[in-house]
Amino acid sequence: MTTPALLPLSGRRIPPLNLGPPSFPHHRATLRLSEKFILLLILSAFITLCFGAFFFLPDSSKHKRFDLGLEDVLIPHVEAGKGAKNPGVFLIHGPDEHRHREEEERLRNKIRADHEKALEEAKEKLKKSREEIRAEIQTEKNKVVQEMKTKENKPLPPVPIPNLVGINGGDPEDNDVRKKREKIKEMMKHAWDNYRMYGWGHNELRPIAKKGHSTNIFGSSQMGATIVDALDTLYIMGLHDEFRDGQKWIEDNLDFSVNSEVSVFEVNIRFIGGLLAAYYLSGEEIFKIKAVQLAEKLLPAFNTPTGIPWAMVNLKSGVGRNWGWASAGSSILAEFGTLHMEFVHLSYLTGDPVYFKKVMHIRKLLQKMDRPNGLYPNYLNPRTGRWGQYHTSVGGLGDSFYEYLLKAWLMSDKTDHEARKMYDDAIEAIEKHLIKKSRGGLIFIGEWKNGHLEKKMGHLACFAGGMFALGADGSRTDKAGHYLELGAEIARTCHESYDRTALKLGPESFKFDGAVEAVAVRQAEKYYILRPEVIETYWYLWRFTHDPRYRQWGWEAALAIEKYCRVSGGFSGVKDVYSSTPTHDDVQQSFFLAETLKYLYLLFSGDDLLPLDHWVFNTEAHPLPVLHLANTTLSGNPAVR
């Protein structure tokens, strides 16, 4: 049986895996072995070179043959014999043989001289002390590393940035609202400062143990996930010193050439999305360069028979695989369906259509497939191109696929009509088969499993209230009002899931069976891990309606997080929201800084901060600009035609 900690709770999120400290080799022994190995390597190379030369020199008593490539280096002026069957072979004979013998003798003498020189250098090396040899080895290592950095940080072709509106500002006129926004900013400072102190460079923070934390979604390497994920929130809040600290770490330490297996989906939405947003907001080229470097490392994941990417890929080897528990090795809808926004921006910024083509290929394949009841199952086998088990959810495993169909249309300046049609078709099927009203009058989104509707809604599905509101404008048959109202109903249901707990924080999932409504039943579903989806929906509904209840509900959630999740070393999730004395899980998730605090800050800001007709937020709340077709830089770009 698979350990629950290894299972993703959704396509949008995979829970943390608490790993023990890694074991390290004994460094002294490692250095001694390295020195001996390098010296043996040098000596063996010289011996091979000396003896090998005499075996491979041409025999003057026979016709001479040189392979193409070698002769370009050693005898660059020799021309291929006319009429030769193999143009890559040089035949030397006839009247010019004497000249070629002289050439061979000259070549032998040159090789002997080079060998003697190399042997003298080797003797000098052996006379040096261990410290001198070690210093020379380190110098060579530093030289290679510097050359690699120079190559990696080579500037990309310049691309004009779209017109960016509302990067700063949003100061509320109301003094009470301003104070609330400042409180959210202070919470961000507390989370960041403690990560900076106790978890710097690690992917996440354990705020009670006050040390770094890793999860299997980022592999075994310290990739600074919290740094990359939090950058744009820091910038938006005006925490520029903290932003520069994060930028400096990325410039000096963020390395993707590591032997580490990572989640393609999570790395895309957190790292590529975070780096692209930081680039657009700040204009710092390093973020764009790092985003492209990482994207190249993800491309091997698409090397499947169908082009549907693997869930996991090794950043060094490029070997991919799927989660073992995912319906006989299937890929997950929310994972391979949540790449479009970032990959289109990668093609826009680089001029390379490969990223755009990868995600469009996925879309074309999905369009050709039959869908039971018009619903997209959560599992698709990347080898056969067939659906796995028929399980459909707008929460875990499916959620952000639908979100990205809508946002692909919005990001294209509402010109990607294909994406909009796919979204509208999907939402109509979801409303028909999955959205129900409870006995108590609460609208909820169930899950379709094994031919029947399960009356359970996850915290992750609460994002859909904001999605319905965001997609209301442009919906079919003048149903904008209907979808805005549906979004408001989902927001009310999710607020009830918070309000019916002891901590006023929502559980991971909640049921609607009989007398039980919007309440978690199983102990394994009663936890809150600093998730943002409910607050995300409050913010979208506030932007579209300015109904004060959404700010009120958002502030209630902020106070509950402050009261029950704040600890001396940061913020922690809690294991039971129905217990008045909760136990902490001791993890400060990177998405808490990227999403939860950002949405709260925006909720108490003016609409002129990141206006929604100019910016589209990826599923990790990283804002990316709308690519307006009126922008002349797009006319020749294959990624946005």
Side-chain angles (χ1 to χ4, degrees):
M1 184 174 178
T2 310
T3 304
L6 293 173
L7 303 182
L9 298 178
S10 78
R12 290 164 68 96
R13 294 284 168 264
I14 298 176
L17 176 66
N18 222 343
L19 300 177
S23 58
F24 295 99
H26 297 287
H27 297 294
R28 289 183 180 177
T30 304
L31 285 173
R32 284 199 291 270
L33 288 173
S34 299
E35 292 162 10
K36 291 176 182 178
F37 176 76
I38 291 170
L39 289 173
L40 286 172
L41 192 64
I42 293 169
L43 288 173
S44 62
F46 289 145
I47 293 168
T48 303
L49 194 60
C50 292
F51 285 99
F54 292 102
F55 286 105
F56 291 104
L57 279 174
D59 183 355
S60 60
S61 64
K62 300 179 181 178
H63 293 283
K64 313 303 184 291
R65 174 173 286 190
F66 287 81
D67 290 332
L68 182 63
L70 182 62
E71 79 285 348
D72 289 338
V73 177
L74 300 181
I75 317 177
H77 62 275
V78 175
E79 296 180 358
K82 293 180 180 180
K85 292 181 181 179
N86 185 351
V89 172
F90 291 83
L91 296 178
I92 306 172
H93 57 86
D96 293 331
E97 187 170 350
H98 179 70
R99 180 171 62 83
H100 290 299
R101 283 180 180 173
E102 292 178 348
E103 187 65 43
E104 289 173 15
E105 187 62 31
R106 186 193 67 78
L107 181 58
R108 280 196 183 94
N109 292 334
K110 183 178 184 303
I111 291 174
R112 287 192 188 99
D114 289 343
H115 288 171
E116 289 174 2
K117 182 180 178 182
L119 287 170
E120 286 299 321
E121 290 178 355
K123 288 178 183 178
E124 290 299 319
K125 290 274 187 189
L126 293 173
K127 290 178 182 178
K128 293 182 179 181
S129 67
R130 177 179 297 178
E131 288 71 23
E132 289 174 316
I133 293 173
R134 184 182 296 164
E136 287 188 6
I137 291 171
Q138 190 59 48
T139 300
E140 287 300 316
K141 281 183 179 179
N142 293 340
K143 183 179 177 183
V144 170
V145 169
Q146 192 58 43
E147 288 175 354
M148 290 176 66
K149 278 190 175 182
T150 302
K151 182 180 179 182
E152 287 178 354
N153 294 335
K154 183 179 178 182
L156 293 165
V159 177
I161 297 180
N163 184 30
L164 303 181
V165 177
I167 291 175
N168 302 299
D171 296 325
E173 295 180 2
D174 185 272
N175 188 51
D176 180 60
V177 176
R178 190 181 303 112
K179 287 179 179 179
K180 290 174 179 175
R181 189 171 86 146
E182 283 301 308
K183 177 57 184 176
I184 304 303
K185 184 175 179 179
E186 185 277 329
M187 292 168 70
M188 180 68 182
K189 273 276 292 175
H190 180 69
W192 175 264
D193 288 347
N194 279 282
Y195 169 78
R196 181 75 174 83
M197 184 177 299
Y198 302 116
W200 193 241
H202 289 268
N203 290 317
E204 291 173 320
L205 170 68
R206 296 183 63 186
I208 296 174
K210 295 184 177 179
K211 63 181 182 179
H213 174 73
S214 292
T215 67
N216 58 337
I217 58 175
F218 302 122
S220 57
S221 298
Q222 293 184 23
M223 294 175 62
T226 294
I227 298 174
V228 180
D229 229 3
L231 276 175
D232 55 356
T233 306
L234 294 170
Y235 193 94
I236 291 163
M237 291 184 177
L239 297 170
H240 295 303
D241 289 341
E242 291 80 358
F243 178 87
R244 281 188 288 271
D245 283 345
Q247 178 180 340
K248 182 70 165 57
W249 186 91
I250 287 171
E251 289 174 344
D252 296 342
N253 300 287
L254 188 55
D255 178 20
F256 304 121
S257 301
V258 290
N259 185 19
S260 193
E261 190 181 52
V262 301
S263 163
V264 173
F265 161 77
E266 295 285 2
V267 164
N268 175 63
I269 65 171
R270 301 196 201 200
F271 281 81
I272 294 181
L275 290 166
L276 290 176
Y279 167 68
Y280 281 118
L281 291 170
S282 69
E284 295 290 343
E285 191 81 5
I286 185 63
F287 300 127
K288 179 171 71 171
I289 292 170
K290 291 290 185 181
V292 174
Q293 287 174 5
L294 178 54
E296 290 175 355
K297 296 286 186 180
L298 298 185
L299 287 178
F302 292 82
N303 295 335
T304 66
T306 60
I308 298 294
W310 300 114
M312 309 286 287
V313 69
N314 186 294
L315 293 177
K316 189 171 186 177
S317 68
V319 175
R321 69 175 179 92
N322 275 342
W323 302 103
W325 50 265
S327 187
S330 291
S331 297
I332 296 168
L333 182 68
E335 294 192 344
F336 66 76
T338 310
L339 302 166
H340 188 96
M341 288 181 65
E342 297 82 2
F343 274 45
V344 166
H345 272 276
L346 287 166
S347 280
Y348 169 70
L349 291 172
T350 63
D352 187 346
V354 64
Y355 307 104
F356 174 73
K357 289 179 178 178
K358 294 293 185 187
V359 291
M360 289 306 295
H361 175 80
I362 294 172
R363 181 190 291 184
K364 297 299 182 186
L365 188 148
L366 290 174
Q367 285 181 314
K368 293 176 183 178
M369 298 186 66
D370 292 330
R371 298 187 298 279
N373 295 323
L375 298 170
Y376 289 89
N378 289 338
Y379 300 107
L380 180 62
N381 192 301
R383 292 188 177 90
T384 65
R386 297 177 181 174
W387 297 119
Q389 68 183 89
Y390 285 174
H391 172 206
T392 296
S393 170
V394 182
L397 308 177
D399 46 12
S400 48
F401 165 71
Y402 307 101
E403 176 188 359
Y404 268 41
L405 290 176
L406 172 62
K407 290 181 176 179
W409 175 70
L410 292 169
M411 197 179 70
S412 71
D413 198 20
K414 301 181 179 179
T415 61
D416 188 350
H417 302 296
E418 183 179 72
R420 179 74 210 209
K421 181 181 184 303
M422 291 178 70
Y423 170 78
D424 287 334
D425 290 345
I427 293 307
E428 287 179 3
I430 286 168
E431 187 169 12
K432 181 177 180 181
H433 297 286
L434 303 185
I435 296 180
K436 303 295 178 183
K437 180 182 283 190
S438 72
R439 292 180 182 178
L442 295 177
I443 301 295
F444 68 95
I445 309 174
E447 296 186 12
W448 190 261
K449 276 187 178 180
N450 303 319
H452 73 278
L453 183 71
E454 186 175 0
K455 296 179 179 180
K456 181 178 76 172
M457 184 171 176
H459 191 288
L460 291 154
C462 286
F463 92 99
M467 180 179 72
F468 291 141
L470 185 62
D473 185 23
S475 56
R476 291 173 179 166
T477 61
D478 298 324
K479 294 179 73 174
H482 166 73
Y483 284 113
L484 191 60
E485 183 179 350
L486 179 59
E489 288 293 335
I490 296 296
R492 183 169 77 93
T493 298
C494 293
H495 174 257
E496 286 298 318
S497 77
Y498 273 52
D499 202 44
R500 297 179 185 190
T501 70
L503 306 186
K504 304 304 178 185
L505 292 170
E508 182 66 12
S509 62
F510 40 94
K511 293 202 170 186
F512 296 87
D513 284 338
V516 176
E517 293 197 356
V519 173
V521 176
R522 296 173 60 237
Q523 187 62 40
E525 296 172 341
K526 294 181 179 180
Y527 59 87
Y528 173 71
I529 56 172
L530 307 173
R531 288 204 187 276
E533 289 77 22
V534 174
I535 296 167
E536 175 183 355
T537 278
Y538 293 165
W539 174 62
Y540 278 113
L541 266 297
W542 164 256
R543 277 283 175 104
F544 289 112
T545 69
H546 282 186
D547 187 327
R549 79 174 73 179
Y550 299 115
R551 277 186 166 171
Q552 177 189 337
W553 291 351
W555 185 241
E556 290 173 3
L559 290 177
I561 292 170
E562 173 75 3
K563 183 175 181 179
Y564 296 110
C565 300
R566 183 166 181 151
V567 294
S568 62
F571 289 87
S572 168
V574 293
K575 295 181 179 180
D576 188 347
V577 294
Y578 298 96
S579 170
S580 57
T581 55
T583 304
H584 294 102
D585 65 11
D586 196 19
V587 179
Q588 180 175 282
Q589 306 280 351
S590 81
F591 57 71
F592 177 65
L593 291 81
E595 299 184 78
T596 310
L597 292 175
K598 182 185 288 135
Y599 283 131
L600 281 169
Y601 186 80
L602 291 171
L603 181 61
F604 298 105
S605 297
D607 294 358
D608 57 327
L609 180 59
L610 299 172
L612 291 174
D613 53 345
H614 289 274
W615 296 89
V616 184
F617 289 73
N618 86 338
T619 197
E620 190 77 359
H622 296 307
L624 300 175
V626 171
L627 297 174
H628 295 285
L629 292 183
N631 188 328
T632 57
T633 64
L634 302 182
S635 59
N637 193 314
V640 289
R641 284 179 182 171

